[in-house]
Each structure stands twice: as C-alpha cells, then as structure tokens.
Amino acid sequence: MKNLFKISILFLLPASLLAQEKNIKSSSTIKSVTVFLTGAQIQREANNVNIPSGVSEVVFSGLSNDINQQSIQVKGAGDFTILSVNKQANFLKEQSNSEEIKKLTDDVSTQRNVISKLNDELQILKTEEDILSKNQSTYSDVNGMDINKLKALLDFQKTKIREIKDNQYRINEKLVIEAKNLNDLNRQLQTFSTNALQNTTDIVVKIKSINALKATFNISYLVNNASWYPTYDIRAKDINDPIQLIYKANVSQRSGEDWSKVKLNLSSGNPSENSAIPNLDPYVLGFNDVLKKLQGRASGMVLQDQNSLNEAVVVGYGTDKSENNIKIRGASSIAPQVVSQQNQTSLLFDIKEIYSVPSDGKLIVVEIGDFKVPATYTYTAIPKLSKNVNLTAKITDFNDMNLLSGEANIFFDGTFLGSSVIDIQQTKDTLDIALGNDKNVIVTREKQTDFKEKQFLGSSQKVTRDFVITIKNRKNKAIDLVLYDQLPISNNQDISIEKLDLSGMELNEKDGKLTWKLKLQRNEEKKLNLKYQVKYPKNTQINLE
C-alpha cells in the first residue's frame, strides 16, 4: 500500500510541475503617441521576447498608472495564441521605488553632513586666525623684547596666517562643489518622488505556444492625463502682403511615464466623449400633482403660487443609459513633416519630427504648419463708439489648412499687437482675423452747434442733429475702410425722424444702421455729413445724443 502511494506521488508531481505557468519579464519601448484634445493613445513595442513552449505569462512592467483598462490592446507576431490580457498593480516595483527613494534620502543626509563638517573646519580656522591677530597686537605692546625673537615670532605668525588663508580658500572651493552635489541630489529626489511611484502598472499577457520561439508584441492603451490645444502666431508685414500663419500645438502630459524621442500624432478627437446615440424618452404632460412628485427630481424647478398650480405643467426628463465607447485610432505613417488627415469625425496631424514629452505637465510646443495665405485687408470704424480704427484680415482659402479654434498672437509690421481668437465654428466662408488698431488711420465725429437746434411748430417741436465725420489716412498706401453709424428709429407714431444729409450712406430702414464703404488714397482726408431731424410732441422729452 505504501509503495502504491509513493508511485501515485511520482505520477502526480510531474503533472503539477507541468501545470505551472512560466512568468516572463519583458521590457518595452514607446514608439508613437497619438495625443487627443483630452487623453492619449500609447503605442509600445517589445522585440525578440523569448517564449517557451506551453502556457506562460509575459509581464510588461514600468507602465503608467493612468492606463484605461478597457482600452488595452495587445497584438503578437509569432506562432502562438494570446489567451488573455490583464492590468495589475506592481507592488514589487513600488517597493523598489521606495528603496531607491530611501537611498537618495540617505545620500542627501550624508551630503549635508559633509557640508556641515566643512563649515566647522572654516569656523576653526577663523578662530585660529583671530587668536593670531590678538597675539600680534600683544607683541607690538611689549617693550624691551629681543629683536630677533620678535622677528621670529612675526615670521611664524605670518606663515601661519598664510597657511590658514590657503586652507580657507581650499575649503570654500570644496563647499561650492559639495553644495552643487547636494542640489543635484535634492532635484533627483524630488523628480523621483514625483514620478517614480506612478510607474507601478504591469500589463500581463497570457499566451500558449507549442514550440519555443522569439516573439514581437505591440501594445496600445489610453491614458487620461494628457492633452493638447492649438495656438497661432499671425504675422503681417503690410496690408499688401500675405498673412503668415504659424500653426502650433501645445502638448503636455502627467501620465507617469516619459515619452522619450517618440513619434507624435495629434488628433482633434476626444476618446472620452460618449459616442452613443442618446435615447428619446417619453414626453410627459401632467397636472400639479405630477409637479409635486417630480419637484425633487427636476433640477432648478421652483414651486409656483397656489393659483398657478391649476395650470397644466410640461415636464420633460430623460436619461442616457448607454455606456461610453472608447475609440482607438491608429498612428499614421505619412512621410512629409506634418500631414493632416481628415477622418470621419476628427483631424489627425502626422508629425514627422521626433519629440520628447516628459511627465511633468510642462508645455511642449509642436509646430503643425507655417502657411503664407493671401488676405484682403479692411479697416473698420465706428466713431460714435470709439476713435479706434480696427484692421481686419479676411482669408477665404483656409479650409485646406485644417485649422481648429484657438487663441492667436497678432504681429503687424514687426510689432506685437495683442491676442485674438480664431473661431473655426463660424459658418461663414471667410475667416476674419482681427489685427488690432492702426494709429495711422484717424477718425473723428464732431457735433455741429452753429445752427438753431430746436423749433416749435404748433403742438410739436423739432430738434436737429448735425455731425461731421472726418477720416484721415496717414499711411503711404491706399486703404479700404468701412464706417458704421446710425439714425435713431421710432417705435411711437408721435415721433418721426427726417433724413437731411447722409453723404451717400447705405441705410437699413429696419434698424437705422448706416454704412459707408470708402477708398482712401495715401495721405487722403475725407469728410462725411450726418444730419437728421426729430419731430415729437411739445412738453415731452426724448433721449437724443
């Protein structure tokens, strides 16, 4: 019976050993990153991974702790089958990180002790120098001392002080070096404490292979703490020259892993947005009793007074029960420096230049494009509201640049004029870019007072307003200027407005808006008249400018 039990153990032991899964640790490197407006997709690669026969687990460690588990995808090249992919916390890595931080902390403490000892040596030398100085004054007060002994004492003192000074200089030089070493250690400790503990995630890939082989793995996943946004530099030398539009992306990330010398792609998509079609729930009508029941559920709803409760109340509410769908987008491999690709729902910019983006949240500027764009320049003035004359560049051929809405820094004739906004959401075919105020174009609006303003006729009175608008073009080039003003409009049949002189302005009868489209030659000055009369009943008052 005992022999039979021993034989059973011998048969069971090999089977249990064969059932154990082999654990293989493998490193991987980031090859490319697709940065979304919020979030980023990381593409990693691991080559020549030794895979034994049977079932084994390949562990890719040192990854971001910010990985979205649902987004993980692993592809393998080789004659094997991927059974499962899991994400797990790496506590051993965290322990290793803690040990590294402890070592750095000990090094900082040791370095501080070195500096403290050097400062103590300096203090001792200073004390010794003070004693010698006091002895020197004692020697000078002694009368009748043998001249040879006095000379020997002074020579000794001189030599000793020189030795002390040399030691002080040597220690001060060493203090500078040791202080720099301490600063480097503190910076390393700060960086390690901030970033190292975040890299505590493993991706575990369970595979099955008939034969031993070398495999290649491609790993992709989404991280949340990354983003980019567009900004522009807009430069114009003169109103006869094209616009220079420099398209830039501001990229930052705190994913916990540095992106060192990687291929970047920029996408206007947002994988965190809900892409499912919402449900349209029933549109419920009810009386006041329904209102009372739903008052606690409908946000912002205030109970009316008792009389109004008899009225029917419309309550519409619904919930979107669909789950978020994660969109995974692949990287592009187009050759030119930056190629923009229009996808179904987003733009993808393929950046050829290699970039490094550390996990510190600092902005890295990536240039998307530098365009020379033909533009039409127009000046706009509203002298009733402001003396400033605004210059606007109008661009019609901008669709191929695949711009996104963003802030723009404006430069005109080499001078920074301020910031503006490029709004791509507008539906117009023309992109208007405000270039700021031009001090070389002057507009004034002056009220004329050399006539009788008020007239009384029977039961009515009339008031006249007369303005002279002066435009001066001090530039050495001709300009196009659009000038706006207005006539008052009446919403009362007892008040009427009579046009006296509009200097050829276009009048919108509905809102009283006046428009002049002018062409001013270099150094030209023009004057426009705006004159009207208002009739209204006596003993009443109206507001006239």
Side-chain angles (χ1 to χ4, degrees):
M1 186 70 180
K2 290 183 179 180
N3 291 333
L4 181 60
F5 180 72
K6 291 181 180 179
I7 293 173
S8 300
I9 292 177
L10 290 175
F11 277 104
L12 289 172
L13 185 60
S16 62
L17 288 176
L18 288 175
Q20 292 181 359
E21 297 173 355
K22 307 170 187 70
N23 191 281
I24 304 161
K25 296 188 180 297
S26 177
S27 61
S28 62
T29 56
I30 299 177
K31 291 299 182 181
S32 67
V33 178
T34 300
V35 188
F36 302 99
L37 295 178
T38 301
Q41 179 181 349
I42 312 297
Q43 298 282 349
R44 282 182 169 270
E45 186 176 88
N47 294 313
N48 297 320
V49 181
N50 291 315
I51 304 297
S53 60
V55 176
S56 57
E57 287 186 342
V58 183
V59 180
F60 301 96
S61 60
L63 308 184
S64 169
N65 200 35
D66 188 37
I67 295 176
N68 183 321
Q69 183 165 352
Q70 294 179 345
S71 70
I72 299 173
Q73 293 187 7
V74 179
K75 296 180 180 179
D79 189 13
F80 59 89
T81 302
I82 295 179
L83 302 177
S84 64
V85 176
N86 292 302
K87 168 191 169 186
Q88 67 181 24
N90 188 334
F91 297 104
L92 294 178
K93 177 70 174 178
E94 184 170 329
Q95 182 181 357
S96 173
N97 290 335
S98 300
E99 292 174 357
E100 184 67 22
I101 290 176
K102 183 178 182 303
K103 181 180 181 304
L104 282 171
T105 303
D106 292 342
D107 291 343
V108 168
S109 179
T110 301
Q111 191 65 25
R112 285 175 177 166
N113 289 334
V114 170
I115 293 175
S116 179
K117 288 180 180 179
L118 289 174
N119 282 319
D120 289 343
E121 289 185 37
L122 276 180
Q123 185 61 43
I124 292 171
L125 290 172
K126 182 67 171 61
T127 302
E128 190 175 355
E129 183 182 5
D130 291 341
I131 293 174
L132 287 172
S133 298
K134 290 179 181 179
N135 287 339
Q136 185 178 10
S137 62
T138 302
Y139 300 153
S140 63
D141 293 336
V142 176
N143 295 320
M145 180 177 288
D146 183 83
I147 189 68
N148 292 326
K149 290 183 178 180
L150 179 60
K151 184 177 183 301
L153 287 172
L154 291 174
D155 288 342
F156 169 79
Q157 187 183 47
K158 182 178 180 181
T159 301
K160 194 66 177 174
I161 290 176
R162 182 182 294 113
E163 180 183 338
I164 290 173
K165 292 292 186 184
D166 289 343
N167 286 334
Q168 287 175 335
Y169 180 78
R170 175 184 56 80
I171 292 174
N172 280 321
E173 278 191 327
K174 194 170 183 181
L175 271 174
V176 172
I177 296 174
E178 299 300 338
K180 181 181 182 301
N181 291 338
L182 177 60
N183 185 56
D184 292 342
L185 282 171
N186 278 324
R187 290 174 61 187
Q188 186 178 358
L189 178 61
Q190 182 180 5
T191 302
F192 200 91
S193 299
T194 301
N195 296 327
L197 287 179
Q198 298 175 0
N199 297 332
T200 57
T201 296
D202 292 348
I203 290 181
V204 181
V205 183
K206 189 174 183 179
I207 63 174
K208 181 179 181 180
S209 176
I210 298 176
N211 301 310
L213 50 84
K214 290 186 179 293
T216 297
F217 291 90
N218 292 294
I219 308 162
S220 70
Y221 50 84
L222 288 174
V223 294
N224 298 316
N225 291 322
S227 64
W228 78 278
Y229 63 90
T231 55
Y232 303 89
D233 284 346
I234 295 177
R235 300 179 182 271
K237 292 183 178 179
D238 195 86
I239 59 175
N240 294 327
D241 292 334
I243 287 281
Q244 181 186 14
L245 189 149
I246 302 172
Y247 194 175
K248 298 181 295 184
N250 301 271
V251 182
S252 64
Q253 60 106 355
R254 289 185 181 273
S255 67
E257 55 187 8
D258 293 335
W259 305 343
S260 180
K261 297 180 180 179
V262 300
K263 173 74 174 60
L264 277 183
N265 298 290
L266 306 174
S267 173
S268 65
N270 187 347
S272 63
E273 287 183 347
N274 190 347
S275 60
I277 300 174
N279 296 323
L280 189 61
D281 286 347
Y283 183 43
V284 181
L285 289 179
F287 289 98
N288 56 348
D289 57 338
V290 178
L291 173 63
K292 292 178 181 178
K293 293 178 182 178
L294 297 178
Q295 184 183 10
R297 297 175 57 184
S299 61
M301 186 171 293
V302 180
L303 191 64
Q304 294 89 7
D305 58 35
Q306 191 63 34
N307 293 330
S308 61
L309 288 178
N310 295 323
E311 300 175 358
V313 178
V314 179
V315 180
Y317 57 95
T319 56
D320 183 2
K321 300 178 181 178
S322 57
E323 297 180 352
N324 291 342
N325 293 328
I326 303 297
K327 294 182 178 178
I328 307 297
R329 296 173 175 84
S332 176
S333 59
I334 306 174
Q337 185 173 1
V338 177
V339 171
S340 58
Q341 177 181 332
Q342 180 74 55
N343 294 333
Q344 292 294 326
T345 59
S346 63
L347 286 168
L348 183 68
F349 298 97
D350 180 9
I351 312 296
K352 183 179 179 182
E353 185 177 351
I354 299 300
Y355 282 88
S356 293
V357 185
S359 179
D360 56 8
K362 295 181 180 179
L363 290 177
I364 302 297
V365 178
V366 177
E367 187 169 311
I368 295 177
D370 190 341
F371 307 100
K372 293 283 188 180
V373 188
T376 302
Y377 296 87
T378 303
Y379 288 89
T380 303
I382 310 177
K384 181 180 179 180
L385 302 179
S386 173
K387 294 182 179 180
N388 293 326
V389 179
N390 302 97
L391 178 60
T392 301
K394 296 181 179 293
I395 300 174
T396 55
D397 187 16
F398 65 92
N399 290 325
D400 291 340
M401 292 186 287
N402 291 318
L403 306 181
L404 298 173
S405 296
E407 186 174 302
N409 296 316
I410 308 298
F411 301 85
F412 187 75
D413 195 21
T415 303
F416 174 67
L417 299 182
S419 298
S420 183
V421 174
I422 292 182
D423 183 11
I424 306 301
Q425 305 303 321
Q426 60 182 348
T427 58
K428 298 188 300 183
D429 294 332
T430 301
L431 179 63
D432 295 338
I433 301 175
L435 298 178
N437 304 324
D438 193 333
K439 303 302 182 182
N440 290 316
V441 183
I442 302 171
V443 176
T444 60
R445 183 180 189 262
E446 296 179 347
K447 181 180 177 182
Q448 306 301 298
T449 57
D450 56 348
F451 59 89
K452 188 176 181 180
E453 289 191 349
K454 279 191 177 183
Q455 301 177 16
F456 295 93
L457 302 171
S459 61
S460 300
Q461 58 182 332
K462 290 184 178 181
V463 178
T464 303
R465 288 290 186 263
D466 189 3
F467 299 92
V468 174
I469 300 172
T470 304
I471 310 106
K472 295 180 182 179
N473 176 23
R474 291 182 175 177
K475 302 180 73 65
N476 59 0
K477 294 179 175 64
I479 65 169
D480 294 313
L481 185 141
V482 179
L483 188 143
Y484 297 101
D485 214 300
Q486 62 184 162
L487 281 180
I489 57 176
S490 173
N491 60 1
N492 190 310
Q493 62 180 2
D494 293 328
I495 302 174
S496 62
I497 296 95
E498 181 183 359
K499 302 181 287 289
L500 300 179
D501 188 356
L502 301 184
S503 292
M505 306 178 195
E506 296 179 8
L507 172 62
N508 186 324
E509 298 283 355
K510 184 177 180 180
D511 58 12
K513 187 175 182 180
L514 296 167
T515 304
W516 285 276
K517 295 182 179 179
L518 306 171
K519 181 84 170 182
L520 283 87
Q521 300 301 321
R522 54 181 297 184
N523 298 318
E524 183 181 2
E525 177 179 310
K526 283 188 178 182
K527 291 183 181 294
L528 304 173
N529 295 317
L530 170 57
K531 188 175 182 180
Y532 57 88
Q533 192 173 74
V534 180
K535 181 181 176 182
Y536 57 97
K538 285 182 180 179
N539 302 322
T540 60
Q541 291 184 347
I542 60 174
N543 294 322
L544 282 175
E545 62 174 318

